[in-house]
Amino acid sequence: MKRQAYIAKTQEERAVLREILRCRDIHSQIISERMTRMRERFERTGKQPKTVWLDTALGIFSQRALEAWVRLQDLGVISKPDELGPYPMSASVFERCLTPPKYRIRPYNLLREKLRLATFAPEVFDKPSLKVLDLSPGTCANHEILSARGHSVTLADYWDRNSQTTSFQPFWTHYNVHPLYFDGRVLPIPLPTAEHDLVLCHQAINFYANPPQYLEYIREICRLAKTKVIIIFNASEDQETGQRNQDIPDLSLLNGWNHQITRCPETYLPTVILEKCEYQLT
C-alpha cells in the first residue's frame, strides 16, 4: 500500500513544517554534492549507482516528521519548539557522516522515536527515573528524549570487529556518549539480568542474528529487562518472491512474558511489545 504524504492543514502545522524543512535545507546541498561525487566515481569504475531523487526523498521524510508531530499532539504529547531545530554540527562533520541523508533531519529523528515511545511505552512520559537500555541507538534520539525527562539511559551497540568506527559516530560525538560495545553474534549479551525497566531494540535485531535465531535472541533481550521490551523489526525480502516477510517467531514459547504484535506507527514495520506476566500491557 502506497503511503500518502501528510499535508499541513493548519497555520500551526505549516509553521512546524517550515522549521522541519529548514533543517532539511541546511544539509541538502552538501549531501547533493556528495551524491554527485559518488555518481562520478561509479561511472569511472563502470558500475551504475542507484537513481537517487535526493530532494524528493528528503521532502518525503520531512512530511513524515510533520505527520509524527501531529499524531503526538493527538496523543497529548507536546513537542518542545527546540525539538524542531537542526543539529548544531558543522557541514564538515556531516560530510564525514555515512548515514542515510534522512537522519540529518533532527526533527525526523526525534519525532519518529517520540511517537514510538508515546505509542508503545507511554509510561516514560508519566513515571520518573526509569532505567532504559537502548540497543543500537543510532542517532541517539531516544537518548535525547529520555534523558531530558530524567530517565537513566544506557546505550549499547553491535561491535563490528572489521570496522574501526560507526556511521553514527558524529551523533555520538555530538551527544558525548560512549555506547557499550558487544558482539551481537555471540550470546549471552554481556549485560546484567533484569537491570533495566525498559529495553528498546529498534530496527536492529537483524544485525545480530538471522530469522531462524530470532527467538533465541529475543529471549536474551528479555533477560535484560525488568518489565518491558520493544522490538521493531526490519522486514526482510524473500529473494525468490520479492515479498517482504515479518520474520516474527512463535512468541508463545517465551515463558513468563505476555506479547503483543503490532506495527510501528511511523514506519509500519512489524513490532513486538513484550511485558512480564506480572505487569499489564499499556
Side-chain angles (χ1 to χ4, degrees):
M1 182 177 66
K2 187 175 181 180
R3 180 170 181 169
Q4 299 295 318
Y6 184 86
I7 305 300
K9 299 180 178 65
T10 67
Q11 183 174 352
E12 184 180 20
E13 290 179 14
R14 286 190 286 271
V16 169
L17 181 59
R18 282 196 296 272
E19 290 301 305
I20 296 171
L21 292 175
R22 185 170 67 89
C23 298
R24 176 203 65 179
D25 293 341
I26 286 174
H27 299 294
S28 61
Q29 181 61 37
I30 192 166
I31 295 170
S32 296
E33 292 172 357
R34 181 174 150 199
M35 293 305 301
T36 298
R37 292 197 299 274
M38 287 178 64
R39 282 192 291 269
E40 292 173 349
R41 185 168 65 249
F42 277 121
E43 288 172 3
R44 289 196 303 272
T45 61
K47 297 178 181 179
Q48 293 298 319
K50 293 181 179 179
T51 301
V52 179
W53 298 99
L54 191 63
D55 290 336
T56 300
L58 290 177
I60 289 172
F61 286 105
S62 298
Q63 294 283 350
R64 285 170 62 171
L66 172 62
E67 182 179 3
W69 182 87
V70 172
R71 296 181 70 176
L72 283 165
Q73 297 286 108
D74 293 341
L75 291 171
V77 179
I78 307 302
S79 295
K80 299 176 181 178
D82 63 1
E83 292 178 341
L84 300 176
Y87 287 109
M89 300 188 202
S90 67
S92 61
V93 170
F94 267 114
E95 171 68 5
R96 300 191 298 272
C97 185
L98 301 178
T99 59
K102 64 183 179 182
Y103 293 130
R104 323 297 169 82
I105 306 173
R106 179 170 172 266
Y108 172 73
N109 294 333
L110 293 179
L111 294 172
R112 176 175 79 157
E113 295 302 337
K114 201 169 188 178
L115 180 59
R116 287 170 165 176
L117 290 169
T119 304
F120 301 138
E123 62 270 22
V124 303
F125 298 101
D126 301 321
K127 296 181 180 179
S129 305
L130 295 175
K131 295 186 70 175
V132 182
L133 171 63
D134 191 1
L135 296 172
S136 296
T139 63
C140 295
N142 281 318
H143 168 79
E144 179 172 349
I145 295 164
L146 295 168
S147 297
R149 302 196 72 85
H151 301 304
S152 173
V153 185
T154 299
L155 308 180
D157 204 2
Y158 173 81
W159 172 57
D160 184 352
R161 69 185 67 198
N162 297 316
S163 176
Q164 300 299 315
T165 185
T166 169
S167 57
F168 290 102
Q169 187 63 52
F171 296 94
W172 298 0
T173 301
H174 164 65
Y175 288 107
N176 192 28
V177 298
H178 306 279
L180 305 171
Y181 283 106
F182 65 96
D183 189 337
R185 296 159 294 188
V186 178
L187 296 181
I189 296 174
L191 291 169
T193 297
E195 187 174 68
H196 295 86
D197 301 292
L198 172 65
V199 177
L200 307 174
C201 184
H202 292 177
Q203 296 178 244
I205 193 170
N206 58 295
F207 294 107
Y208 310 153
N210 294 318
Q213 302 168 299
Y214 278 179
L215 183 63
E216 181 182 9
Y217 273 74
I218 292 173
R219 183 178 286 114
E220 173 64 7
I221 292 171
C222 287
R223 177 185 68 80
L224 307 176
K226 290 181 185 177
T227 307
K228 182 184 283 188
V229 171
I230 300 170
I231 301 175
I232 300 176
F233 292 75
N234 275 320
S236 62
E237 184 174 294
D238 189 291
Q239 296 298 317
E240 294 184 2
T241 66
Q243 297 294 315
R244 293 180 71 79
N245 305 314
Q246 291 195 13
D247 296 325
I248 297 177
D250 183 0
L251 298 173
S252 66
L253 299 175
L254 289 173
N255 294 327
W257 289 83
N258 294 315
H259 71 270
Q260 175 184 332
I261 299 175
T262 182
R263 288 192 176 274
C264 169
E266 202 284 321
T267 61
Y268 303 154
L269 288 169
T271 300
V272 168
I273 307 170
L274 298 129
E275 197 157 9
K276 282 194 175 176
C277 290
E278 60 265 34
Y279 296 91
Q280 260 191 332
L281 284 169
T282 56

